Amino acid sequence: MVVDSAWAAIVLFLGVLPDGGNANTGWRAGVEFAVALIIPVLMVFRRRYPDITVAAATAVGVGQIVLGVLPAASSIGYLVFAYTGAAFGSRWTSRLALTAGLVAGPLVFWQIHPTKVLRDEDGVVLQRPYQLGESLLITALMSTPFILCWAWGRLTRVRRAYLVELEDRAARLERERDAQAKVAVAAERARIARELHDVVAHNVSVMIVQADGAAYVLDNSPQQAKEALSTIASTGRQALVEMRRLLGVLRTADTAEEYVPQPGVEELPELLDQVRTAGLQVEFATSGDPRELPRGVELTVYRIVQEALTNVRKHGGPDVHARVAVDFGERELAVLIEDDGRGTTDEQLASGGADGQGHGLIGMRERVGMVSGSLDVGPRPGGGFRIRAVLPLKTAH
């Protein structure tokens, strides 16, 4: 309304100027002055009430023609309402604005009855009416500004509808992205639970059977009991290896081939050696009192470091340096991985780290959540990226 008020003030100023170059006298001059006031007022509210203002402006224009009030400077405001009806009005308002624009030229031409000024051979000035073809050309030219304003408003309406559609599509894609992330997390949980059930159920069943057999033949056949115990130990080790491999495996096939899944913190130096061999410079530091950790925490720490260094190699750029720090606290374990590379884009960070090949940070958050920990990710001051995980030791069993 502020912008419309500014334009309305200009039209009002032009309309109330004395002797505006028109031939309205007497009471028609009073009507002209009233029109010069009404048109700017309608312009102020044209966006908020397009249907009402366009209809009112059309009625004012028709009344001006019926009363024989000749057009003045304020009549330029009618062009604004031709645009308003097409850009903001309803369907009937747009049609009304188009119809009014088409008939504006013929009606004004009929009202003013222009004549053509000629001179005869003796130099006498003569006024003659225009021929039919000339009259049609003049009326078309007089209606052209209204039609152009209406077409401009129509184009504005189409462009605004297109932008609204783009915004709606972006919002819909964002909702679909969030839904896909939730589906990926749920699918991963179901897969891990299903495979863990298979591994544990099969191997534990074998161990129970062997243990019962060993107890049965322990007195009569010590050798068979010894073989059964050996089978139990072998099956237990195999089950442990399979569970470690299951919890440490990466979701992406190419990365899973690069690194052999390892069980815990004690294998981190070996992992870092493999990373350095691949060309990434990594520093490793530990603080606190290193000790044996719960198995779930061990696997989570290894998984976070492995995934973080993989992301550094993919997105960090050339000549990137990384640093891994593990702090053994009394009740929690803190893991920090940071680099000085390119970092990540806002879109990747907002989408949970999905990079088109895996689920990135979504997987990290899921792993940390399994042991009731917290994960903090984001750009590092001075450039690069930073990942910090805090894993409670008192709740991990």
Side-chain angles (χ1 to χ4, degrees), residues 62 65 96-109 139 143 146-147:
V62 172
I65 293 176
L96 175 63
L98 178 60
T99 303
L102 289 173
V103 302
L107 290 177
V108 174
F109 184 83
T139 56
S143 296
F146 293 93
I147 305 305

Side-chain angles (χ1 to χ4, degrees), residues 44-301:
V44 173
F45 299 97
R46 67 183 184 90
R47 294 179 190 266
R48 180 169 295 183
Y49 309 105
D51 296 339
I52 297 177
T53 55
V54 171
T58 304
V60 171
V62 172
Q64 185 176 348
I65 293 176
V66 171
L67 295 176
V69 180
L70 297 178
S74 60
S75 298
I76 195 174
Y78 292 121
L79 297 175
V80 177
F81 291 102
Y83 168 86
T84 302
F88 307 106
S90 58
R91 179 176 298 180
W92 69 267
T93 306
S94 177
R95 293 176 178 177
L96 175 63
L98 178 60
T99 303
L102 289 173
V103 302
L107 290 177
V108 174
F109 184 83
W110 168 78
Q111 181 187 28
I112 63 179
H113 297 292
T115 56
K116 182 167 55 176
V117 178
L118 299 175
R119 292 179 182 273
D120 59 9
E121 296 178 355
D122 298 331
V124 179
V125 177
L126 302 175
Q127 292 184 350
R128 297 179 180 177
Y130 285 98
Q131 300 297 324
L132 178 60
E134 295 174 332
S135 299
L136 293 177
L137 178 61
I138 293 175
T139 56
L141 292 177
M142 295 177 68
S143 296
T144 297
F146 293 93
I147 305 305
L148 291 178
C149 289
W150 183 89
W152 184 16
R154 194 66 182 176
L155 180 62
T156 301
R157 177 190 289 271
V158 172
R159 183 175 179 272
R160 188 171 63 251
Y162 176 70
L163 293 178
V164 171
E165 175 64 22
L166 288 181
E167 293 176 356
D168 181 70
R169 183 181 302 176
R172 186 169 60 252
L173 291 176
E174 184 176 358
R175 291 192 297 267
E176 291 178 356
R177 181 198 64 196
D178 295 339
Q180 290 175 357
K182 293 180 180 179
V183 169
V185 171
E188 185 66 10
R189 284 179 174 176
R191 186 188 68 83
I192 293 176
R194 187 167 53 250
E195 295 187 12
L196 274 176
H197 174 270
D198 295 341
V199 170
V200 173
H202 172 74
N203 289 284
V204 170
S205 298
V206 173
M207 295 169 65
I208 292 174
V209 171
Q210 294 293 331
D212 290 341
Y216 181 77
V217 301
L218 180 61
D219 296 332
N220 299 328
S221 182
Q223 183 62 31
Q224 292 184 7
K226 183 178 180 181
E227 293 177 358
L229 293 176
S230 177
T231 302
I232 292 174
S234 176
T235 304
R237 284 191 295 268
Q238 181 181 358
L240 183 59
V241 170
E242 291 181 0
M243 292 176 62
R244 288 174 176 174
R245 187 176 300 274
L246 175 62
L247 295 176
V249 70
L250 293 173
R251 288 185 176 92
T252 55
D254 55 343
T255 308
E257 294 176 357
E258 293 177 9
Y259 304 128
V260 177
Q262 299 293 331
V265 177
E266 61 272 17
E267 282 79 15
L268 284 179
E270 181 180 353
L271 173 64
L272 299 183
D273 289 338
Q274 294 175 356
V275 173
R276 295 187 186 102
T277 303
L280 177 62
Q281 302 183 38
V282 185
E283 298 179 5
F284 179 61
T286 61
S287 59
D289 182 19
R291 59 189 182 276
E292 184 178 355
L293 302 174
R295 182 55 58 187
V297 175
E298 291 265 358
L299 294 172
T300 301
V301 170

Side-chain angles (χ1 to χ4, degrees), residues 294-354:
R295 182 55 58 187
V297 175
E298 291 265 358
L299 294 172
T300 301
V301 170
Y302 188 91
R303 175 66 176 89
I304 292 174
V305 175
Q306 188 181 40
E307 180 69 19
L309 295 179
T310 301
N311 290 337
V312 173
R313 291 187 55 200
K314 287 183 178 180
H315 309 296
D319 301 326
V320 62
H321 296 75
R323 175 175 174 267
V324 178
V326 179
D327 180 25
F328 293 84
E330 294 184 1
R331 296 191 175 184
E332 62 184 20
L333 177 72
V335 183
L336 175 66
I337 307 99
E338 57 184 2
D339 65 86
D340 57 0
R342 289 188 301 233
T344 187
T345 63
D346 294 336
E347 291 79 6
Q348 289 176 337
L349 187 59
S351 63

Side-chain angles (χ1 to χ4, degrees), residues 9-31:
I10 296 176
V11 174
L12 177 62
F13 175 75
L14 295 176
V16 299
L17 283 178
D19 191 17
N22 59 71
N24 292 314
T25 58
W27 63 271
R28 289 187 175 86
V31 175

